[in-house]
Structure formats: structure tokens, C-alpha cells
Amino acid sequence: MNVFRLTGDLSHLAAIIILLLKIWKTRSCAGISGKSQILFALVFTTRYLDLLTSFISLYNTSMKVIYIGCAYATVYLIYAKFKATYDGNHDTFRVEFLVVPVGGLAFLVNHDFSPLEILWTFSIYLESVSILPQLFMISKTGEAETITTHYLFFLGLYRALYLINWIWRFYFEGFFDMIAIVAGVVQTILYCDFFYLYVTKVLKGKKLSLPA
């Protein structure tokens, strides 16, 4: 494992922990898109079904279990424990417009036409657009809490680091996965505008606001 993948994994984990702590400490999920969190839970579930069929390393297995557990814990906090604070009126993105096309694409473009491989491909495609409901929600409300923007920053950083990881693996290991790279590029592009606002506003102590 190279340093870019490791730091990418740690950035991903940091994003998840930041979100969970935010919800738990404030006893509120205001400003958090439950739909994005459901999509992420679906991503981890379909990607890590190989937990039942193969073992790579203790680190690999542990991270997969943590991601899945945290994803469903987040969904539980939003839709059950702190349901009264969930702003469903602004979380209105039509997720079927993401899931259905992504599902079709996974059947058409994959490495191997087998159930586990199709589900893995589906998870890669879906992850690249799962943040859209959250970004859409921020655009509707016009602003985001600082802690929420930190969550988004680390999530975007994770994807950017993983792109560097793919480049590293290509040059030093000869490994190349076009599906993962293209999906990663798409996902990173979605974060670009947010990164700019994060650096120019949030890091200077200003509250992030986006056009409605």
C-alpha cells in the first residue's frame, strides 16, 4: 500500500467521523442530506460483499467493516434517533435519477459480467455521484455549517488522493483500472467548486454560502 492510498483512506475515515460527531454532539442532523448518506450506505454494501468470499488483510477487512457500520449508523441517526431535526423539505434531490442510470451502466460497462463484479462496478459509479444530494441541499438552503464543510472537504480530499494513488500504481505497479479512474475524476470534478469556496471562505473564518 502506498502513502497516497493510506492518507486517502484516513481522509475518508476522518470525513465519516466528523459527520458522526457533528450529529451526535449537536443532537441534530440539520444541513445533512439523508439521501446522500443512504447512497453511501448502498455504495459500501454493494462494494464490500467480498467480505463474505475473500480475505486480503486485517487492515482491509477492518476498514470495510468500519465504513459499512458508520454508514448505517449515520442513516440511523438521521432517520430514526434525530429524525425531528432532519430537514427533508430541502433534501429533495431525485436519487432515482442517479441509481437507475448507474445501475444500467454497471450492467453495460464492467470488467466481468458476474454478480459481485457488477455490484462492485455499480458501487464505483454510484459513489462518484452520491454527494450530489448533499451539494443540492446546500445550494437550496444557501449556506452550510462549518463542520459540514469540513466533512465535505475531507471527503473530496479522499477522492483526490485516490486519483494520485491510481497514477502511482500505474507507474510503479503497472496497474490500471479505467472504471475506477474515470469515476474518481468525475467525483473530484464535482468537488472542485466546493474546494475553491472552502479555501477562500471557510479557512478564513467566513461562513460558506452557495447560490440558491
Side-chain angles (χ1 to χ4, degrees):
M1 179 188 298
N2 61 69
V3 66
F4 300 110
R5 179 176 177 180
L6 178 60
T7 52
D9 286 345
L10 294 178
S11 295
H12 195 184
L13 185 60
I16 295 171
I17 292 174
I18 286 172
L19 184 64
L20 282 170
L21 288 177
K22 182 268 180 189
I23 296 174
W24 188 258
K25 286 188 174 182
T26 63
R27 318 296 287 181
S28 170
C29 54
I32 304 299
S33 169
K35 292 186 176 182
S36 270
Q37 298 309 312
I38 287 177
L39 292 180
F40 282 126
L42 182 58
V43 164
F44 296 138
T45 301
T46 53
R47 181 174 303 171
Y48 298 143
L49 287 173
D50 61 350
L51 280 170
L52 305 174
T53 61
S54 62
F55 177 81
I56 298 175
S57 68
L58 181 59
Y59 170 83
N60 183 275
T61 297
S62 298
M63 293 300 284
K64 289 177 179 180
V65 171
I66 290 172
Y67 287 151
I68 293 173
C70 288
Y72 280 98
T74 304
V75 170
Y76 166 76
L77 293 178
I78 294 173
Y79 287 100
K81 191 169 184 63
F82 303 123
K83 182 179 180 180
T85 65
Y86 170 55
D87 188 6
N89 291 328
H90 288 116
D91 193 15
T92 57
F93 192 95
R94 299 285 297 277
V95 293
E96 61 268 26
F97 291 159
L98 300 178
V99 176
V100 174
V102 162
L105 185 61
F107 270 95
L108 295 173
V109 183
N110 52 66
H111 295 309
D112 178 52
F113 198 76
S114 63
L116 283 180
E117 187 64 30
I118 291 173
L119 288 172
W120 178 87
T121 306
F122 170 79
S123 76
I124 295 295
Y125 293 151
L126 184 61
E127 185 183 17
S128 69
V129 294
S130 289
I131 201 61
L132 282 176
Q134 180 67 65
L135 297 178
F136 182 74
M137 186 177 185
I138 292 176
S139 71
K140 287 195 70 175
T141 59
E143 61 182 25
E145 295 180 16
T146 300
I147 195 69
T148 304
T149 60
H150 291 334
Y151 158 72
L152 291 173
F153 173 79
F154 278 102
L155 206 57
L157 180 61
Y158 138 69
R159 287 316 310 175
L161 287 167
Y162 252 66
L163 281 182
I164 302 175
N165 161 64
W166 293 124
I167 295 172
W168 175 279
R169 295 191 66 183
F170 174 72
Y171 280 103
F172 292 96
E173 301 175 14
F175 182 84
F176 184 77
D177 190 326
M178 180 61 74
I179 289 177
I181 291 174
V182 171
V185 169
V186 170
Q187 189 171 0
T188 304
I189 289 174
L190 292 178
Y191 284 97
C192 284
D193 184 50
F194 170 80
F195 280 151
Y196 171 76
L197 292 173
Y198 184 89
V199 172
T200 58
K201 291 189 176 184
V202 177
L203 294 185
K204 294 181 180 179
K206 298 177 182 179
K207 194 167 186 178
L208 176 67
S209 59
L210 299 175

